Amino acid sequence: SPQLLQAYDSVKVEYVDVTTNKKAYIYRTIDTSSPNADAPDVIDGYGNNPKSIQLAGCQEEYNAINRAELEMRKLIYHRWTLTDTVDYSGMLLDKGDMILYAEQYNNSDNFFDGEIRSVSGNIATVSEHIDFVDGETYQVHYTVEDGSTLGPFDISQVEGNCFQFECSSLTNVYVRDSMLGITIQKGSRYVISTYEELDAARWTVIEKEPKGRDVQLTLSNYDDRVYEFDEIQEQS
Protein backbone atom coordinates (compact mmCIF):
# COMPACT_ATOMS: atom_id res chain seq x y z
CA SER A 1 0.00 0.00 0.00
CA PRO A 2 1.42 3.40 -0.91
CA GLN A 3 1.60 6.15 1.69
CA LEU A 4 0.81 9.61 0.35
CA LEU A 5 3.06 12.40 1.56
CA GLN A 6 0.08 14.73 1.30
CA ALA A 7 -1.45 13.08 4.40
CA TYR A 8 0.98 15.21 6.47
CA ASP A 9 3.13 18.07 5.24
CA SER A 10 5.10 18.75 8.42
CA VAL A 11 5.91 17.61 11.96
CA LYS A 12 5.17 19.23 15.33
CA VAL A 13 6.95 17.80 18.40
CA GLU A 14 5.91 18.85 21.90
CA TYR A 15 8.32 18.67 24.86
CA VAL A 16 8.89 20.54 28.14
CA ASP A 17 11.40 23.40 28.20
CA VAL A 18 13.52 22.72 31.29
CA THR A 19 14.27 26.43 31.79
CA THR A 20 10.62 27.50 31.91
CA ASN A 21 8.98 24.18 32.85
CA LYS A 22 6.40 24.90 30.14
CA LYS A 23 5.45 23.21 26.91
CA ALA A 24 7.64 24.00 23.92
CA TYR A 25 7.51 22.92 20.29
CA ILE A 26 9.81 21.95 17.46
CA TYR A 27 8.51 22.33 13.91
CA ARG A 28 9.90 20.78 10.75
CA THR A 29 8.62 20.90 7.18
CA ILE A 30 9.77 20.43 3.59
CA ASP A 31 11.76 23.04 1.73
CA THR A 32 9.57 23.41 -1.36
CA SER A 33 12.43 25.13 -3.19
CA SER A 34 14.65 22.03 -3.02
CA PRO A 35 15.88 21.11 -6.52
CA ASN A 36 15.17 17.39 -5.95
CA ALA A 37 11.49 16.87 -5.18
CA ASP A 38 12.09 13.19 -4.35
CA ALA A 39 14.67 14.08 -1.70
CA PRO A 40 13.78 17.57 -0.44
CA ASP A 41 15.60 19.37 2.35
CA VAL A 42 14.04 19.42 5.81
CA ILE A 43 13.82 22.89 7.33
CA ASP A 44 12.51 24.62 10.46
CA GLY A 45 8.99 25.75 9.67
CA TYR A 46 5.25 25.24 9.86
CA GLY A 47 2.95 23.23 7.64
CA ASN A 48 -0.78 23.18 7.04
CA ASN A 49 -1.30 19.65 8.35
CA PRO A 50 1.45 18.65 10.82
CA LYS A 51 1.93 15.22 12.34
CA SER A 52 1.79 15.96 16.08
CA ILE A 53 3.94 14.04 18.56
CA GLN A 54 4.11 14.46 22.34
CA LEU A 55 7.39 13.42 23.97
CA ALA A 56 6.28 12.62 27.50
CA GLY A 57 9.00 13.42 30.03
CA CYS A 58 11.34 14.96 27.45
CA GLN A 59 13.09 18.11 28.69
CA GLU A 60 15.93 18.21 26.18
CA GLU A 61 15.51 20.39 23.10
CA TYR A 62 18.03 18.34 21.16
CA ASN A 63 16.01 15.14 21.71
CA ALA A 64 12.91 16.90 20.43
CA ILE A 65 14.82 18.18 17.38
CA ASN A 66 16.19 14.70 16.69
CA ARG A 67 12.69 13.18 16.84
CA ALA A 68 11.25 15.90 14.59
CA GLU A 69 13.98 15.34 12.00
CA LEU A 70 13.41 11.57 12.14
CA GLU A 71 9.64 11.82 11.76
CA MET A 72 9.91 14.30 8.90
CA ARG A 73 12.24 12.01 6.97
CA LYS A 74 9.94 9.07 7.63
CA LEU A 75 7.12 11.03 6.01
CA ILE A 76 9.32 11.65 2.97
CA TYR A 77 10.97 8.26 2.50
CA HIS A 78 8.69 5.66 4.08
CA ARG A 79 6.39 5.50 1.08
CA TRP A 80 5.15 1.92 1.25
CA THR A 81 3.65 -0.36 3.89
CA LEU A 82 3.25 -4.11 3.59
CA THR A 83 1.31 -6.57 5.74
CA ASP A 84 1.93 -10.31 5.79
CA THR A 85 1.24 -13.28 8.05
CA VAL A 86 4.21 -15.42 9.07
CA ASP A 87 4.72 -18.31 11.44
CA TYR A 88 5.12 -17.71 15.17
CA SER A 89 8.86 -17.10 14.94
CA GLY A 90 7.82 -13.64 13.78
CA MET A 91 7.32 -12.80 17.48
CA LEU A 92 11.11 -12.76 17.79
CA LEU A 93 11.14 -9.55 15.76
CA ASP A 94 10.86 -6.16 17.45
CA LYS A 95 9.52 -2.87 16.20
CA GLY A 96 12.27 -1.05 14.34
CA ASP A 97 14.08 -4.20 13.20
CA MET A 98 15.29 -4.09 9.62
CA ILE A 99 14.58 -7.34 7.79
CA LEU A 100 15.04 -8.74 4.29
CA TYR A 101 11.64 -9.60 2.86
CA ALA A 102 11.19 -11.43 -0.42
CA GLU A 103 8.26 -9.50 -1.85
CA GLN A 104 6.38 -11.98 -4.05
CA TYR A 105 5.28 -9.40 -6.62
CA ASN A 106 8.83 -8.26 -7.30
CA ASN A 107 9.21 -9.03 -11.01
CA SER A 108 12.94 -8.39 -11.10
CA ASP A 109 15.12 -10.93 -12.89
CA ASN A 110 17.82 -10.28 -10.28
CA PHE A 111 16.01 -11.36 -7.13
CA PHE A 112 15.58 -14.91 -5.78
CA ASP A 113 14.61 -16.52 -2.48
CA GLY A 114 13.88 -19.93 -1.05
CA GLU A 115 15.37 -22.60 1.21
CA ILE A 116 18.85 -24.13 1.10
CA ARG A 117 18.24 -27.88 0.86
CA SER A 118 21.82 -29.18 1.02
CA VAL A 119 25.46 -28.11 1.03
CA SER A 120 28.47 -29.90 -0.41
CA GLY A 121 31.70 -27.97 0.03
CA ASN A 122 31.15 -24.60 -1.61
CA ILE A 123 28.03 -25.72 -3.50
CA ALA A 124 24.52 -25.04 -2.16
CA THR A 125 21.44 -26.73 -3.58
CA VAL A 126 18.29 -24.65 -3.25
CA SER A 127 14.54 -25.14 -3.45
CA GLU A 128 13.75 -22.58 -6.14
CA HIS A 129 14.89 -21.98 -9.69
CA ILE A 130 17.67 -19.41 -10.08
CA ASP A 131 18.88 -17.98 -13.36
CA PHE A 132 21.59 -15.35 -13.13
CA VAL A 133 21.94 -12.67 -15.79
CA ASP A 134 25.33 -12.58 -17.50
CA GLY A 135 27.44 -9.63 -16.40
CA GLU A 136 25.63 -9.10 -13.09
CA THR A 137 27.23 -9.62 -9.66
CA TYR A 138 25.08 -11.49 -7.14
CA GLN A 139 25.15 -11.75 -3.37
CA VAL A 140 23.37 -13.97 -0.87
CA HIS A 141 22.07 -13.45 2.66
CA TYR A 142 20.94 -16.54 4.56
CA THR A 143 19.60 -17.44 7.98
CA VAL A 144 21.41 -19.69 10.43
CA GLU A 145 19.94 -22.20 12.90
CA ASP A 146 18.78 -19.56 15.43
CA GLY A 147 17.13 -17.45 12.72
CA SER A 148 19.71 -14.66 12.58
CA THR A 149 21.08 -13.60 9.21
CA LEU A 150 24.54 -13.69 7.68
CA GLY A 151 25.75 -11.93 4.55
CA PRO A 152 26.10 -10.55 2.06
CA PHE A 153 28.45 -13.06 0.41
CA ASP A 154 29.45 -13.04 -3.24
CA ILE A 155 28.16 -16.03 -5.18
CA SER A 156 28.11 -17.51 -8.69
CA GLN A 157 25.74 -19.94 -10.35
CA VAL A 158 26.90 -23.49 -10.98
CA GLU A 159 27.10 -23.89 -14.74
CA GLY A 160 24.35 -26.07 -16.13
CA ASN A 161 22.38 -26.25 -12.87
CA CYS A 162 19.59 -23.78 -12.12
CA PHE A 163 19.17 -25.05 -8.53
CA GLN A 164 22.74 -24.56 -7.30
CA PHE A 165 25.09 -21.70 -6.50
CA GLU A 166 28.70 -21.55 -5.38
CA CYS A 167 29.81 -19.56 -2.32
CA SER A 168 32.92 -19.73 -0.12
CA SER A 169 30.95 -18.88 3.07
CA LEU A 170 28.47 -21.73 3.60
CA THR A 171 29.78 -23.20 6.85
CA ASN A 172 26.90 -21.76 8.91
CA VAL A 173 24.08 -22.97 6.69
CA TYR A 174 21.45 -25.00 8.55
CA VAL A 175 19.98 -27.96 6.64
CA ARG A 176 16.87 -29.62 8.05
CA ASP A 177 16.94 -33.36 8.65
CA SER A 178 13.71 -34.12 6.81
CA MET A 179 11.78 -32.70 3.90
CA LEU A 180 8.51 -33.77 5.55
CA GLY A 181 6.57 -32.93 8.71
CA ILE A 182 5.22 -29.64 10.03
CA THR A 183 7.33 -29.92 13.19
CA ILE A 184 10.63 -29.99 11.28
CA GLN A 185 12.48 -26.67 11.33
CA LYS A 186 13.04 -25.31 7.86
CA GLY A 187 16.55 -25.07 6.56
CA SER A 188 18.37 -21.79 6.01
CA ARG A 189 16.27 -19.29 4.09
CA TYR A 190 18.16 -17.25 1.51
CA VAL A 191 17.74 -14.03 -0.41
CA ILE A 192 19.83 -13.62 -3.56
CA SER A 193 20.04 -10.30 -5.35
CA THR A 194 22.35 -7.91 -7.08
CA TYR A 195 23.68 -5.10 -4.90
CA GLU A 196 21.38 -2.65 -6.69
CA GLU A 197 18.26 -4.78 -6.10
CA LEU A 198 18.96 -5.35 -2.39
CA ASP A 199 17.34 -2.07 -1.33
CA ALA A 200 13.97 -3.37 -2.52
CA ALA A 201 14.23 -6.26 -0.03
CA ARG A 202 14.84 -4.07 3.03
CA TRP A 203 11.82 -3.40 5.24
CA THR A 204 11.32 -2.13 8.80
CA VAL A 205 8.96 -3.78 11.28
CA ILE A 206 6.41 -1.22 12.53
CA GLU A 207 3.75 -3.54 14.04
CA LYS A 208 3.36 -7.18 15.03
CA GLU A 209 0.21 -8.91 16.22
CA PRO A 210 -0.45 -12.58 17.15
CA LYS A 211 -2.98 -14.29 14.88
CA GLY A 212 -3.63 -17.71 16.40
CA ARG A 213 -0.50 -19.75 15.75
CA ASP A 214 0.79 -17.13 13.35
CA VAL A 215 1.93 -13.51 13.54
CA GLN A 216 0.81 -10.60 11.41
CA LEU A 217 3.63 -8.21 10.57
CA THR A 218 3.24 -4.71 9.23
CA LEU A 219 6.36 -3.42 7.49
CA SER A 220 7.50 -0.14 6.02
CA ASN A 221 10.12 0.19 3.30
CA TYR A 222 13.59 0.79 4.72
CA ASP A 223 15.57 3.80 3.53
CA ASP A 224 18.96 4.92 4.88
CA ARG A 225 18.03 8.55 4.29
CA VAL A 226 15.56 8.40 7.19
CA TYR A 227 18.57 8.49 9.53
CA GLU A 228 20.70 11.05 7.67
CA PHE A 229 20.21 13.72 10.38
CA ASP A 230 22.13 11.51 12.83
CA GLU A 231 24.86 11.01 10.25
CA ILE A 232 25.15 14.76 9.71
CA GLN A 233 25.50 15.31 13.47
CA GLU A 234 28.19 12.63 13.76
CA GLN A 235 30.17 14.19 10.92
CA SER A 236 29.95 17.65 12.49
Side-chain angles (χ1 to χ4, degrees), residues 100-122:
L100 297 180
Y101 178 87
E103 203 270 293
Q104 63 178 322
Y105 297 110
N106 188 328
N107 295 320
S108 170
D109 293 330
N110 292 321
F111 195 86
F112 311 93
D113 75 294
E115 178 186 352
I116 297 178
R117 293 285 176 81
S118 65
V119 172
S120 177
N122 290 342

mmCIF file of all heavy atoms in Angstrom, residues 100-122:
data_model
loop_
_atom_site.group_PDB
_atom_site.id
_atom_site.type_symbol
_atom_site.label_atom_id
_atom_site.label_comp_id
_atom_site.label_asym_id
_atom_site.label_seq_id
_atom_site.Cartn_x
_atom_site.Cartn_y
_atom_site.Cartn_z
ATOM 1 N N LEU A 100 15.072 -8.509 5.731
ATOM 2 C CA LEU A 100 15.044 -8.738 4.294
ATOM 3 C C LEU A 100 13.783 -9.536 3.992
ATOM 4 O O LEU A 100 13.607 -10.640 4.493
ATOM 5 C CB LEU A 100 16.284 -9.511 3.833
ATOM 6 C CG LEU A 100 17.622 -8.801 4.034
ATOM 7 C CD1 LEU A 100 18.761 -9.678 3.536
ATOM 8 C CD2 LEU A 100 17.645 -7.461 3.319
ATOM 9 N N TYR A 101 12.927 -8.976 3.174
ATOM 10 C CA TYR A 101 11.642 -9.598 2.863
ATOM 11 C C TYR A 101 11.559 -9.835 1.364
ATOM 12 O O TYR A 101 11.752 -8.913 0.566
ATOM 13 C CB TYR A 101 10.500 -8.678 3.307
ATOM 14 C CG TYR A 101 9.120 -9.209 2.983
ATOM 15 C CD1 TYR A 101 8.458 -10.067 3.851
ATOM 16 C CD2 TYR A 101 8.490 -8.847 1.805
ATOM 17 C CE1 TYR A 101 7.196 -10.559 3.546
ATOM 18 C CE2 TYR A 101 7.233 -9.334 1.487
ATOM 19 C CZ TYR A 101 6.590 -10.189 2.361
ATOM 20 O OH TYR A 101 5.342 -10.670 2.056
ATOM 21 N N ALA A 102 11.292 -11.080 0.995
ATOM 22 C CA ALA A 102 11.192 -11.433 -0.417
ATOM 23 C C ALA A 102 9.779 -11.133 -0.891
ATOM 24 O O ALA A 102 8.876 -11.949 -0.744
ATOM 25 C CB ALA A 102 11.530 -12.902 -0.617
ATOM 26 N N GLU A 103 9.590 -9.964 -1.430
ATOM 27 C CA GLU A 103 8.263 -9.503 -1.852
ATOM 28 C C GLU A 103 7.848 -10.271 -3.111
ATOM 29 O O GLU A 103 8.527 -10.238 -4.132
ATOM 30 C CB GLU A 103 8.327 -7.997 -2.121
ATOM 31 C CG GLU A 103 6.989 -7.301 -2.036
ATOM 32 C CD GLU A 103 6.300 -7.296 -3.381
ATOM 33 O OE1 GLU A 103 6.795 -6.648 -4.293
ATOM 34 O OE2 GLU A 103 5.254 -7.969 -3.484
ATOM 35 N N GLN A 104 6.727 -11.012 -3.005
ATOM 36 C CA GLN A 104 6.383 -11.977 -4.049
ATOM 37 C C GLN A 104 6.005 -11.336 -5.381
ATOM 38 O O GLN A 104 6.015 -11.989 -6.420
ATOM 39 C CB GLN A 104 5.250 -12.880 -3.574
ATOM 40 C CG GLN A 104 3.945 -12.149 -3.287
ATOM 41 C CD GLN A 104 2.831 -13.087 -2.873
ATOM 42 O OE1 GLN A 104 2.738 -14.176 -3.407
ATOM 43 N NE2 GLN A 104 2.011 -12.670 -1.926
ATOM 44 N N TYR A 105 5.654 -10.052 -5.371
ATOM 45 C CA TYR A 105 5.278 -9.399 -6.618
ATOM 46 C C TYR A 105 6.449 -8.658 -7.257
ATOM 47 O O TYR A 105 6.259 -7.888 -8.198
ATOM 48 C CB TYR A 105 4.111 -8.440 -6.382
ATOM 49 C CG TYR A 105 2.872 -9.166 -5.919
ATOM 50 C CD1 TYR A 105 2.410 -9.017 -4.619
ATOM 51 C CD2 TYR A 105 2.187 -10.018 -6.778
ATOM 52 C CE1 TYR A 105 1.281 -9.704 -4.187
ATOM 53 C CE2 TYR A 105 1.063 -10.705 -6.351
ATOM 54 C CZ TYR A 105 0.606 -10.545 -5.064
ATOM 55 O OH TYR A 105 -0.501 -11.214 -4.625
ATOM 56 N N ASN A 106 7.652 -8.851 -6.690
ATOM 57 C CA ASN A 106 8.833 -8.260 -7.297
ATOM 58 C C ASN A 106 9.152 -9.022 -8.590
ATOM 59 O O ASN A 106 9.507 -10.199 -8.554
ATOM 60 C CB ASN A 106 10.019 -8.347 -6.314
ATOM 61 C CG ASN A 106 11.225 -7.595 -6.798
ATOM 62 O OD1 ASN A 106 11.463 -7.494 -7.990
ATOM 63 N ND2 ASN A 106 12.019 -7.085 -5.866
ATOM 64 N N ASN A 107 9.036 -8.371 -9.721
ATOM 65 C CA ASN A 107 9.211 -9.031 -11.008
ATOM 66 C C ASN A 107 10.641 -8.945 -11.533
ATOM 67 O O ASN A 107 10.887 -9.238 -12.699
ATOM 68 C CB ASN A 107 8.250 -8.418 -12.040
ATOM 69 C CG ASN A 107 6.810 -8.686 -11.692
ATOM 70 O OD1 ASN A 107 6.463 -9.778 -11.251
ATOM 71 N ND2 ASN A 107 5.960 -7.686 -11.888
ATOM 72 N N SER A 108 11.562 -8.548 -10.661
ATOM 73 C CA SER A 108 12.937 -8.393 -11.103
ATOM 74 C C SER A 108 13.538 -9.743 -11.472
ATOM 75 O O SER A 108 13.272 -10.768 -10.853
ATOM 76 C CB SER A 108 13.773 -7.744 -9.994
ATOM 77 O OG SER A 108 15.144 -7.795 -10.323
ATOM 78 N N ASP A 109 14.390 -9.726 -12.504
ATOM 79 C CA ASP A 109 15.125 -10.931 -12.890
ATOM 80 C C ASP A 109 16.354 -11.137 -12.018
ATOM 81 O O ASP A 109 17.067 -12.132 -12.194
ATOM 82 C CB ASP A 109 15.558 -10.822 -14.359
ATOM 83 C CG ASP A 109 14.371 -10.837 -15.318
ATOM 84 O OD1 ASP A 109 13.354 -11.462 -14.975
ATOM 85 O OD2 ASP A 109 14.478 -10.218 -16.391
ATOM 86 N N ASN A 110 16.606 -10.210 -11.107
ATOM 87 C CA ASN A 110 17.815 -10.275 -10.280
ATOM 88 C C ASN A 110 17.507 -10.489 -8.805
ATOM 89 O O ASN A 110 18.247 -10.048 -7.937
ATOM 90 C CB ASN A 110 18.625 -8.980 -10.446
ATOM 91 C CG ASN A 110 19.206 -8.844 -11.841
ATOM 92 O OD1 ASN A 110 19.656 -9.825 -12.423
ATOM 93 N ND2 ASN A 110 19.202 -7.648 -12.379
ATOM 94 N N PHE A 111 16.419 -11.184 -8.519
ATOM 95 C CA PHE A 111 16.007 -11.361 -7.132
ATOM 96 C C PHE A 111 15.440 -12.766 -6.955
ATOM 97 O O PHE A 111 14.525 -13.159 -7.683
ATOM 98 C CB PHE A 111 14.948 -10.320 -6.772
ATOM 99 C CG PHE A 111 14.700 -10.170 -5.300
ATOM 100 C CD1 PHE A 111 15.470 -9.330 -4.543
ATOM 101 C CD2 PHE A 111 13.695 -10.896 -4.671
ATOM 102 C CE1 PHE A 111 15.260 -9.187 -3.181
ATOM 103 C CE2 PHE A 111 13.469 -10.764 -3.318
ATOM 104 C CZ PHE A 111 14.252 -9.906 -2.567
ATOM 105 N N PHE A 112 16.001 -13.521 -5.984
ATOM 106 C CA PHE A 112 15.581 -14.906 -5.775
ATOM 107 C C PHE A 112 15.530 -15.197 -4.284
ATOM 108 O O PHE A 112 16.296 -14.626 -3.498
ATOM 109 C CB PHE A 112 16.564 -15.875 -6.444
ATOM 110 C CG PHE A 112 16.894 -15.534 -7.872
ATOM 111 C CD1 PHE A 112 17.999 -14.749 -8.175
ATOM 112 C CD2 PHE A 112 16.099 -15.985 -8.914
ATOM 113 C CE1 PHE A 112 18.307 -14.420 -9.478
ATOM 114 C CE2 PHE A 112 16.401 -15.660 -10.230
ATOM 115 C CZ PHE A 112 17.506 -14.882 -10.519
ATOM 116 N N ASP A 113 14.648 -16.109 -3.881
ATOM 117 C CA ASP A 113 14.607 -16.518 -2.478
ATOM 118 C C ASP A 113 14.084 -17.943 -2.396
ATOM 119 O O ASP A 113 13.476 -18.472 -3.324
ATOM 120 C CB ASP A 113 13.717 -15.579 -1.660
ATOM 121 C CG ASP A 113 12.246 -15.817 -1.924
ATOM 122 O OD1 ASP A 113 11.799 -15.565 -3.067
ATOM 123 O OD2 ASP A 113 11.542 -16.262 -1.007
ATOM 124 N N GLY A 114 14.332 -18.565 -1.258
ATOM 125 C CA GLY A 114 13.881 -19.932 -1.048
ATOM 126 C C GLY A 114 14.593 -20.540 0.141
ATOM 127 O O GLY A 114 15.032 -19.832 1.058
ATOM 128 N N GLU A 115 14.734 -21.860 0.121
ATOM 129 C CA GLU A 115 15.372 -22.603 1.214
ATOM 130 C C GLU A 115 16.585 -23.352 0.690
ATOM 131 O O GLU A 115 16.550 -23.923 -0.403
ATOM 132 C CB GLU A 115 14.381 -23.607 1.816
ATOM 133 C CG GLU A 115 14.966 -24.464 2.924
ATOM 134 C CD GLU A 115 13.999 -25.554 3.395
ATOM 135 O OE1 GLU A 115 12.820 -25.529 2.954
ATOM 136 O OE2 GLU A 115 14.430 -26.423 4.176
ATOM 137 N N ILE A 116 17.666 -23.336 1.453
ATOM 138 C CA ILE A 116 18.849 -24.126 1.101
ATOM 139 C C ILE A 116 18.594 -25.568 1.540
ATOM 140 O O ILE A 116 18.396 -25.845 2.725
ATOM 141 C CB ILE A 116 20.121 -23.561 1.760
ATOM 142 C CG1 ILE A 116 20.393 -22.145 1.242
ATOM 143 C CG2 ILE A 116 21.316 -24.468 1.471
ATOM 144 C CD1 ILE A 116 21.604 -21.473 1.874
ATOM 145 N N ARG A 117 18.587 -26.484 0.579
ATOM 146 C CA ARG A 117 18.242 -27.883 0.859
ATOM 147 C C ARG A 117 19.458 -28.720 1.254
ATOM 148 O O ARG A 117 19.348 -29.647 2.053
ATOM 149 C CB ARG A 117 17.566 -28.495 -0.382
ATOM 150 C CG ARG A 117 16.192 -27.875 -0.700
ATOM 151 C CD ARG A 117 15.137 -28.361 0.266
ATOM 152 N NE ARG A 117 13.845 -27.751 0.077
ATOM 153 C CZ ARG A 117 12.937 -28.101 -0.841
ATOM 154 N NH1 ARG A 117 13.232 -29.036 -1.719
ATOM 155 N NH2 ARG A 117 11.774 -27.508 -0.882
ATOM 156 N N SER A 118 20.618 -28.409 0.675
ATOM 157 C CA SER A 118 21.819 -29.184 1.016
ATOM 158 C C SER A 118 23.056 -28.380 0.670
ATOM 159 O O SER A 118 23.002 -27.428 -0.116
ATOM 160 C CB SER A 118 21.838 -30.522 0.267
ATOM 161 O OG SER A 118 21.945 -30.315 -1.128
ATOM 162 N N VAL A 119 24.175 -28.765 1.275
ATOM 163 C CA VAL A 119 25.460 -28.111 1.032
ATOM 164 C C VAL A 119 26.520 -29.178 0.844
ATOM 165 O O VAL A 119 26.608 -30.141 1.622
ATOM 166 C CB VAL A 119 25.858 -27.180 2.200
ATOM 167 C CG1 VAL A 119 27.277 -26.664 2.000
ATOM 168 C CG2 VAL A 119 24.890 -26.020 2.312
ATOM 169 N N SER A 120 27.344 -29.016 -0.179
ATOM 170 C CA SER A 120 28.474 -29.901 -0.414
ATOM 171 C C SER A 120 29.671 -29.031 -0.754
ATOM 172 O O SER A 120 29.766 -28.488 -1.865
ATOM 173 C CB SER A 120 28.176 -30.873 -1.560
ATOM 174 O OG SER A 120 29.304 -31.694 -1.830
ATOM 175 N N GLY A 121 30.564 -28.858 0.237
ATOM 176 C CA GLY A 121 31.704 -27.973 0.032
ATOM 177 C C GLY A 121 31.243 -26.541 -0.160
ATOM 178 O O GLY A 121 30.581 -25.960 0.712
ATOM 179 N N ASN A 122 31.550 -25.970 -1.310
ATOM 180 C CA ASN A 122 31.149 -24.596 -1.611
ATOM 181 C C ASN A 122 29.889 -24.527 -2.474
ATOM 182 O O ASN A 122 29.541 -23.452 -2.970
ATOM 183 C CB ASN A 122 32.284 -23.862 -2.344
ATOM 184 C CG ASN A 122 33.467 -23.579 -1.436
ATOM 185 O OD1 ASN A 122 33.337 -23.612 -0.216
ATOM 186 N ND2 ASN A 122 34.615 -23.302 -2.035
#
